[in-house]
């Protein structure tokens, strides 16, 4: 049995058959030369159909050359030859990356092979919005460690580990936080997962080790939701705006610190968002920091 021709050989044979003809002539030729070839014939046809489409020809013209309807041509080739617009991938913010690194280091200090969601809480105290939220609620690394020791059993004489990984629960929390970031980010913007999403996921999972630590320390989850509200409450839409239809008229508040508008606190309005003079000043301070340094709140 002779070796099946390659896609390149089929295209070359089609070019020789079509001569100086245009892309449509090449399409006729590739169909003819690949008629009895099975495996690579479809790939060759796909490649030429892609060339025809890139040249600006319609599915109607392609269907006529192939002896099928426009709809049949589109159904057969569109998924294989049409270029899909690039999508914005999900990335992790520097604050979240720093928190994850700190969480693994905390677990390594405990000589554990796995970092749990209680270690994620320790990592979230590194910097960013989650750190400011936890500190505002009176939490510290020492308090979280003491609560973890009360609730969970850690080996006293375990061998040091340098290959610590996240537990299944911690990985699930991170995946849920990234999904939350995807849902809450405008479709026209890059999706960035940050510490507020991860803290919200840990705090609202009643069975997680991190939530049990928060309960042990007397932290009200409703307070966490309130403090994180303006960072994770915008649904994912084309323009990143919440619907204004229905509902009660909201009091104008700074979307960053939550303080209401008053004579002493003026607000600048944006698309369904506000910012006060104090937060503007804070943003200026952050922007004055040297490039490459993680902003601290």
């Amino acid at each position: 049995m002779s070796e099946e021709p390659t896609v390149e050989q089929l295209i070359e044979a089609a070019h020789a058959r079509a001569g100086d003809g245009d892309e449509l002539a090449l399409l006729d030729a590739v169909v003819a030369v690949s008629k009895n070839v099975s495996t690579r014939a479809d790939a060759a046809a796909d490649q030429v159909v892609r060339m025809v489409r890139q040249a600006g020809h319609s599915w109607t013209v392609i269907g006529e050359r192939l002896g099928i309807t426009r709809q049949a041509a589109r159904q057969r080739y569109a998924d294989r030859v049409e270029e899909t617009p690039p999508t914005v991938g999900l990335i992790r913010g520097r604050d979240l990356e720093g928190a994850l690194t700190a969480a693994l280091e905390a677990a390594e200090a405990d000589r554990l092979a796995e970092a749990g969601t209680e270690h994620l809480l320790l990592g979230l105290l590194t910097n960013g919005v989650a750190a400011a939220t936890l500190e505002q609620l009176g939490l510290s690394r020492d308090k979280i460690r003491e609560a973890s020791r009360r609730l969970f059993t850690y080996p006293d004489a375990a061998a040091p580990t340098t290959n610590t990984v996240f537990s299944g629960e911690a990985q699930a929390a991170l995946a849920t936080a990234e999904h939350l970031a995807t849902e809450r980010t405008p479709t026209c913007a890059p999706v960035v997962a940050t510490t507020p999403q991860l803290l919200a996921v840990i705090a609202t999972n009643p069975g997680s080790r991190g939530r049990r630590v928060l309960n042990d320390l007397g932290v009200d989850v409703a307070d966490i939701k309130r403090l994180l509200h303006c960072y994770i409450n915008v649904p994912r839409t084309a323009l990143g705006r919440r619907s204004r239809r229905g509902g009660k008229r909201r009091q104008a508040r700074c979307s960053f610190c939550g303080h209401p508008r008053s004579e002493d606190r003026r607000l600048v309005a944006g698309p369904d968002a506000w910012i006060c003079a104090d937060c503007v000043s804070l943003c200026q301070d952050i922007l004055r920091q040297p490039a490459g340094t993680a902003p601290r709140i």
Side-chain angles (χ1 to χ4, degrees):
M1 180 179 293
S2 60
E3 185 177 351
E4 190 171 289
T6 65
V7 172
E8 291 73 20
Q9 289 171 336
L10 286 171
I11 299 278
E12 183 178 356
H15 272 293
R17 187 185 184 100
D20 296 329
D22 60 8
E23 295 86 4
L24 293 175
L26 182 61
L27 179 58
D28 291 337
V30 78
V31 171
V33 299
S34 61
K35 187 174 182 179
N36 297 321
V37 181
S38 58
T39 305
R40 295 185 178 89
D42 287 343
D46 289 349
Q47 187 167 327
V48 175
V49 169
R50 185 179 297 109
M51 293 170 59
V52 172
R53 287 290 293 163
Q54 290 174 347
H57 297 286
S58 68
W59 286 113
T60 299
V61 174
I62 294 174
E64 291 174 353
R65 292 295 178 127
L66 296 175
I68 56 179
T69 65
R70 176 193 64 82
Q71 184 178 3
R74 187 183 184 92
Q75 289 177 344
R76 180 181 300 180
Y77 293 105
D79 291 341
R80 303 202 297 264
V81 305
E82 293 284 3
E83 293 185 2
T84 303
T87 57
V88 180
L90 184 145
I91 60 176
R92 295 174 181 172
R94 287 186 296 177
D95 60 337
L96 182 57
E97 289 286 7
L100 297 178
T101 299
L104 290 174
E105 292 174 350
E108 288 177 3
D110 289 333
R111 298 190 173 189
L112 297 175
E114 291 186 342
T117 51
E118 73 273 26
H119 296 102
L120 288 178
L121 282 179
L122 289 169
L124 288 172
L125 273 167
T126 304
N127 57 34
V129 172
T133 300
L134 293 172
E135 289 170 358
Q136 187 170 345
L137 295 172
L139 270 66
S140 66
R141 287 180 175 80
D142 289 341
K143 289 183 178 180
I144 292 176
R145 284 188 178 280
E146 290 171 4
S148 298
R149 292 290 178 180
R150 285 194 299 269
L151 295 170
F152 314 119
T153 301
Y154 295 134
D156 293 328
T161 178
T162 57
N163 191 30
T164 301
V165 297
F166 288 112
S167 68
E169 180 184 83
Q171 292 180 36
L174 181 58
T176 304
E178 292 176 341
H179 179 70
L180 179 61
T182 301
E183 287 187 334
R184 303 299 183 177
T185 304
T187 53
C188 57
V191 180
V192 183
T194 55
T195 56
Q197 287 95 7
L198 183 56
L199 177 56
V201 168
I202 294 173
T204 54
N205 182 358
S208 72
R209 292 164 70 102
R211 169 67 179 271
R212 291 171 62 189
V213 168
L214 294 174
N215 291 342
D216 183 80
L217 294 173
V219 176
D220 190 341
V221 175
D223 288 334
I224 294 180
K225 292 181 179 179
R226 174 178 55 81
L227 292 170
L228 296 179
H229 176 71
C230 62
Y231 297 97
I232 59 176
N233 71 339
V234 181
R236 185 172 173 81
T237 63
L239 298 178
R241 300 181 182 182
R242 289 174 296 183
S243 174
R244 295 172 183 259
R245 298 179 181 177
K248 297 181 179 179
R249 183 178 179 87
R250 296 179 303 152
Q251 181 183 10
R253 292 177 176 272
C254 177
S255 300
F256 296 86
C257 67
H259 286 91
R261 178 166 52 196
S262 65
E263 293 182 0
D264 298 328
R265 186 181 295 273
R266 299 179 60 188
L267 300 180
V268 177
D272 202 30
W274 296 268
I275 186 169
C276 69
D278 290 344
C279 287
V280 170
S281 178
L282 175 60
C283 291
Q284 290 174 340
D285 291 340
I286 293 175
L287 293 175
R288 291 192 190 101
Q289 295 180 16
T293 61
R296 293 182 178 271
I297 296 179

